[in-house]
Amino acid sequence: MSESQLKMDLVGGDFTSREADLLVIGVYQGGEPQAALVRCGEEVEREVRRALKAGWMRGDVGEMLFLPISVGNGLAVERLLLAGLGKRDGVTLEGFRALGAAVVKACERSAVNRAISLLSLDSHQGIAPLEVLETMAEGAWLGSYRYDRLQSQGKKETPRHRLGRLVFVLPGEKIKPARRILAWVERIAGGVALARDLANTPGNLLTPEILAKKGRELAERLPVKTTILSAQVLAQKGMNGILAVGQGSANPPCMIVMEYRKGGDRPTLAVVGKAITFDSGGISLKPGAKMEEMKFDMSGGAAVFGFMQAIAEMKLPINVVGIVPSAENLPSGTAQRPGDVIKTAKGLYVEVINTDAEGRLILADALHHAASFDPDVIIDLATLTGACVIALGSQASGLMGNNEPLQKRLRKAGERCGERLWPLPLFPEYQEQIKSVVADIKNVGGREAGTITAACFLSRFVDDSRAWAHLDIAGTAYDFSGTRPHMPKGAMGVGVRLLCRYAMTERV
Ligand code: BES
Ligand code: ZN
Ligand code: ZN
């Protein structure tokens, strides 16, 4: 985390004597407060209802109203924060994530040190107290993330007031599971923060070698075994895909392998993440506009890092191998050229039509290497194609692969955690598009179905007997719109929560 993390706490049942600056209470559209309001005592209830009747707030999504309450009201607070929930039958898990972040922001703006949220005392249209806790806590942590380590103190925007503690009230009998959930959410949010930190780091400060060092550091802190395949080892293994992509840069490529084995004889999951620390396009140079965003081209690898950290901290009983091929794609006198043919580690010859389609070249060798761990499931994540941004925008990652049940489980996990996936077909006919005249295959398949033909290319490096899913996160890895309070501008850390939820429910 770039800053000290927001602290959260739980209280079961009676909260009235807890010291705090304010209580957070939900209000549905139409000015209808959540049921838990009655727990604040008659006097406070009357004041709230009076304010709502007077139309001081409507209860729209995202609406916030600070309401001072008279001293001697029976509560240990002097203020309430009424938080708009929108239509009663329209509340969603994602809505509670955004709400968690919005509450923290409102508290920061209003110099609140300690807040107590009553939202998790009630069920909201089938969303149970524990789910409200989980999603609000997650949103609060995700929303309080900042990447500001590159701003010198003097230039930092006016120092932010920070909310010290956010306390959630739950029905007494829910406290035990709530503690477990909160501990999980904290570690998952920590994994997202790591992924965001890595992805937000500019290319000059995060080279493949530096990323490898981060992999070694992970192994020092946690029960993870890290192996770095240096450029020399990659050459010995015939991994010419990743070597070719890296050969134009003074920063040599490498492959980072992180193993976490706490699942006994359970199946093994391999997660593979593209980590191009900067993608200029190479000799097939990209246009200048927005080229700086290509520092995010290692977001797939960043997600693997975040996931590995989270599962190791949670001590999940699973077996996972994380594989992160990393290179910098630059043009130079030593760079690969369009027309070059390379022999990949698998033995397949690839004609490089466009050096900007480099992700699939490093993934080809990484997917091949993944097979050496004999995994039951392989999931890869990559900011692979601009075409995916055109197809799905930032609302969903592209999902492709060779196994329907795996895709179904991943989509379910994605729906639950707010990282949506949407399927695209890999009909065999698409493979025609990547046939090469001089080699076995070529690295681009033309303008049509660019996301699919990229996945077709990857499929050639995966054994069909293994369940494999490919996630194209080009449109979801980073965002500068700032429209969702739990998603600050820059890297989203997408994939971490998805993989965690998948691994926690499927154990594979
Ligand atoms: N890293 C890019 C894909 C990308 C584009 C990610 C926009 C995020 C936002 C990838 O390496 C690339 O350049 N792909 C090319 C492939 C083409 C040459 C076949 C693309 O999408 O234009
Ligand atoms: Zn590229
Ligand atoms: Zn790329």
Side-chain angles (χ1 to χ4, degrees):
M1 273 315 281
S2 55
E3 296 178 60
S4 67
Q5 247 191 50
L6 165 66
K7 301 265 187 308
M8 291 190 209
D9 223 339
L10 299 170
V11 37
D14 187 29
F15 57 89
T16 47
S17 59
R18 289 283 289 224
E19 288 287 329
D21 300 307
L22 60 66
L23 291 181
V24 189
I25 297 170
V27 175
Y28 294 108
Q29 209 171 60
E32 181 202 346
Q34 70 171 108
L37 174 63
V38 299
R39 311 273 208 103
C40 299
E42 272 177 32
E43 199 175 321
V44 172
E45 186 181 353
R46 208 175 317 119
E47 288 193 49
V48 170
R49 291 201 184 275
R50 195 173 63 89
L52 293 172
K53 203 165 167 218
W56 293 1
M57 112 178 254
R58 290 152 30 121
D60 294 345
V61 175
E63 208 184 342
M64 298 275 169
L65 177 72
F66 285 99
L67 190 68
I69 49 175
S70 37
V71 193
N73 51 51
L75 294 177
V77 301
E78 295 180 357
R79 283 200 277 175
L80 302 179
L81 174 56
L82 302 184
L85 297 173
K87 285 205 180 81
R88 184 185 266 281
D89 57 4
V91 291
T92 60
L93 293 173
E94 189 67 356
F96 280 113
R97 283 186 199 99
L99 185 70
V103 163
V104 174
K105 281 197 177 112
C107 288
E108 285 178 346
R109 275 196 300 271
S110 209
V112 176
N113 292 314
R114 186 183 282 251
I116 301 180
S117 166
L118 301 194
L119 280 131
S120 47
L121 258 175
D122 294 322
S123 280
H124 301 264
Q125 201 66 25
I127 300 179
L130 287 173
E131 291 176 305
V132 176
L133 164 72
E134 179 191 323
T135 48
M136 277 191 70
E138 184 173 82
W141 270 318
L142 293 176
S144 53
Y145 172 86
R146 296 285 177 286
Y147 183 73
D148 56 9
R149 61 184 60 177
L150 302 179
Q151 290 169 340
S152 52
Q153 285 305 321
K155 283 202 176 143
K156 261 184 203 169
E157 47 184 311
T158 37
R160 244 184 351 138
H161 175 85
R162 293 193 67 94
L163 176 64
R165 197 169 288 267
L166 179 57
V167 183
F168 291 95
V169 191
L170 281 116
E173 75 279 5
K174 297 273 196 284
I175 277 297
K176 234 178 125 186
R179 292 212 181 285
R180 204 177 57 230
I181 287 171
L182 197 61
W184 278 339
V185 175
E186 182 166 19
R187 285 168 186 138
I188 294 169
V192 175
L194 171 62
R196 287 178 178 177
D197 276 349
L198 291 172
N200 281 325
T201 305
N204 62 330
L205 302 181
L206 192 85
T207 59
E209 263 177 324
I210 297 173
L211 192 60
K213 198 169 136 237
K214 304 266 182 201
R216 276 191 228 101
E217 284 167 9
L218 208 66
E220 281 163 22
R221 279 192 289 125
L222 295 164
V224 170
K225 182 180 146 206
T226 298
T227 314
I228 309 297
L229 310 189
S230 64
Q232 206 182 354
V233 176
L234 294 174
Q236 281 161 13
K237 292 188 182 288
M239 299 209 183
N240 299 312
I242 178 168
L243 285 170
V245 173
Q247 77 188 36
S249 169
N251 298 308
C254 65
M255 198 177 296
I256 303 153
V257 180
M258 295 171 282
E259 291 172 71
Y260 170 82
R261 296 187 184 279
K262 294 283 177 210
D265 49 15
R266 287 217 174 91
T268 297
L269 164 68
V271 282
V272 180
K274 167 179 172 181
I276 296 294
T277 56
F278 183 71
D279 182 12
S280 71
I283 295 292
S284 314
L285 194 64
K286 284 181 183 295
K290 297 211 172 167
M291 202 204 269
E292 72 282 2
E293 294 184 353
M294 284 301 121
K295 71 171 184 179
F296 295 118
D297 210 21
M298 32 62 69
S299 298
V304 173
F305 269 76
F307 173 58
M308 297 304 295
Q309 174 179 293
I311 58 170
E313 286 185 353
M314 287 190 281
K315 304 189 177 77
L316 292 188
I318 53 175
N319 298 314
V320 179
V321 186
I323 300 178
V324 180
S326 186
E328 187 177 36
N329 189 22
L330 294 183
S332 79
T334 61
Q336 65 170 337
R337 328 147 182 74
D340 283 4
V341 173
I342 51 186
K343 187 183 182 190
T344 58
K346 195 188 178 196
L348 269 182
Y349 286 91
V350 174
E351 182 186 8
V352 179
I353 300 293
N354 189 318
T355 63
D356 196 13
E358 83 300 333
R360 61 199 80 179
L361 299 177
I362 69 167
L363 287 169
D365 286 341
L367 288 166
H368 177 71
H369 190 59
S372 70
F373 294 90
D374 197 23
D376 302 83
V377 174
I378 303 177
I379 301 171
D380 79 71
L381 303 96
T383 45
L384 204 61
T385 65
C388 194
V389 189
I390 303 301
L392 299 173
S394 55
Q395 301 305 327
S397 303
L399 172 65
M400 287 141 279
N402 64 4
N403 189 288
E404 280 291 336
L406 173 60
Q407 293 197 22
K408 213 172 147 198
R409 293 199 292 267
L410 281 168
R411 284 187 66 187
K412 199 170 128 214
E415 204 54 56
R416 177 63 173 69
C417 75
E419 295 191 341
R420 286 189 185 133
L421 304 175
W422 201 256
L424 290 169
L426 293 189
F427 301 133
E429 289 78 5
Y430 288 114
Q431 297 282 352
E432 301 292 321
Q433 286 178 241
I434 55 168
K435 276 190 177 155
S436 164
V437 175
V438 298
D440 296 315
I441 48 174
K442 54 184 181 183
N443 77 333
V444 299
R447 268 174 53 79
E448 291 179 9
T451 303
I452 292 173
T453 53
C456 283
F457 183 97
L458 299 182
S459 76
R460 305 293 277 269
F461 298 87
V462 182
D463 192 341
D464 242 343
S465 64
R466 255 182 252 284
W468 160 68
H470 160 60
L471 275 51
D472 195 328
I473 57 170
T476 49
Y478 58 93
D479 186 33
F480 286 95
S481 73
T483 46
R484 292 170 292 175
H486 55 304
M487 295 302 204
K489 291 178 187 179
M492 299 286 105
V494 73
V496 177
R497 289 185 293 136
L498 172 83
L499 290 171
C500 286
R501 167 116 330 235
Y502 169 80
M504 289 169 81
T505 44
E506 306 295 338
R507 295 283 152 95
V508 190

